[in-house]
Amino acid sequence: GVSDNLSLAVLGKVTRGEGQGSRLRGVGIEAVYYLGQIPGLGVDVGVYGEVMKGLSDGETALEGKLLFAKQAGPVQAVLNLIAERPLHVPGEGYAEYGYAGSVTVRAAKGLRVGVQAFGDLGDDHGFLKGRQGAYIGPELRWEARAKGSPVELEVGVSWLKSVGANTREADSQFRVTLELERRF
């Protein structure tokens, strides 16, 4: 983090399509700014901005999010409201909207289990209109930091079933996330 309220990161987007190997599809920069807590609710609020430069056939895009998080004992709830706009894509210069959320409970030191969901809310041509799709399913998250170390490792695994319009895209998806953080 740059300060208590601002953190910056460099990121890469790696995907694997059906019948294809894993490959780096984009590199980007993200910034997260903590705005504060909603009084009386104890919900933390932040904003997220990302610029992703597509590689080969990857998409160059801007992404913004409103971030909400609540910790209540061992239970953690997170909701992100997302707007994404592709850049330099003829005929697709409009924003798409979606959400990502999870509710997890601490099962052991460094281990959280819960449920995760990602979904569509439409785009500039039809916000909340028509049949929206989503992925939902169980999540397992593990994080570790060596005592006194500024480096933290987080690994997430989830299997998400498609519902609604996303069933045309895929029956389900298996997600693995790997995050390595270093505090400065």
Side-chain angles (χ1 to χ4, degrees):
V2 175
S3 69
D4 287 344
N5 288 25
L6 177 66
S7 66
L8 301 173
V10 175
L11 54 109
K13 182 176 186 178
V14 178
T15 61
R16 179 176 176 222
E18 189 173 326
Q20 301 174 355
S22 297
R23 59 180 228 219
L24 182 63
R25 293 203 43 195
V27 293
I29 298 173
E30 73 175 27
V32 177
Y33 188 78
Y34 176 68
L35 296 172
Q37 201 172 76
I38 298 173
L41 296 177
V43 175
D44 292 309
V45 180
V47 292
Y48 171 100
E50 174 187 304
V51 177
M52 179 67 69
K53 170 67 175 147
L55 303 176
S56 58
D57 67 344
E59 189 176 271
T60 297
L62 295 175
E63 184 173 340
K65 299 178 186 177
L66 283 174
L67 311 172
F68 302 94
K70 171 75 175 179
Q71 184 79 39
V75 177
Q76 182 181 68
V78 177
L79 174 65
N80 299 338
L81 299 176
I82 306 163
E84 185 174 11
R85 183 176 188 274
L87 300 176
H88 311 298
V89 180
E92 292 188 26
Y94 55 90
E96 295 179 337
Y97 305 99
Y99 63 89
S102 70
V103 176
T104 60
V105 64
R106 184 175 41 251
K109 185 177 180 180
L111 182 66
R112 303 189 72 78
V113 296
V115 64
Q116 185 176 67
F118 297 91
D120 301 321
L121 296 173
D123 57 35
D124 286 342
H125 301 298
F127 184 73
L128 294 178
K129 291 185 180 177
R131 200 169 151 203
Q132 306 303 320
Y135 289 92
I136 186 167
E139 171 188 24
L140 181 65
R141 194 176 319 146
W142 173 77
E143 62 182 54
R145 178 187 315 216
K147 190 171 185 172
S149 172
V151 178
E152 180 179 296
L153 172 67
E154 183 175 311
V155 179
V157 178
S158 56
W159 175 79
L160 307 171
K161 176 77 174 131
S162 63
V163 295
N166 283 9
T167 56
R168 291 188 304 260
E169 184 178 297
D171 182 52
S172 64
Q173 62 176 255
F174 180 70
R175 297 176 62 92
V176 176
T177 58
L178 176 63
E179 190 172 315
L180 185 62
E181 292 183 7
R182 186 192 190 294
R183 300 280 179 195
F184 294 96

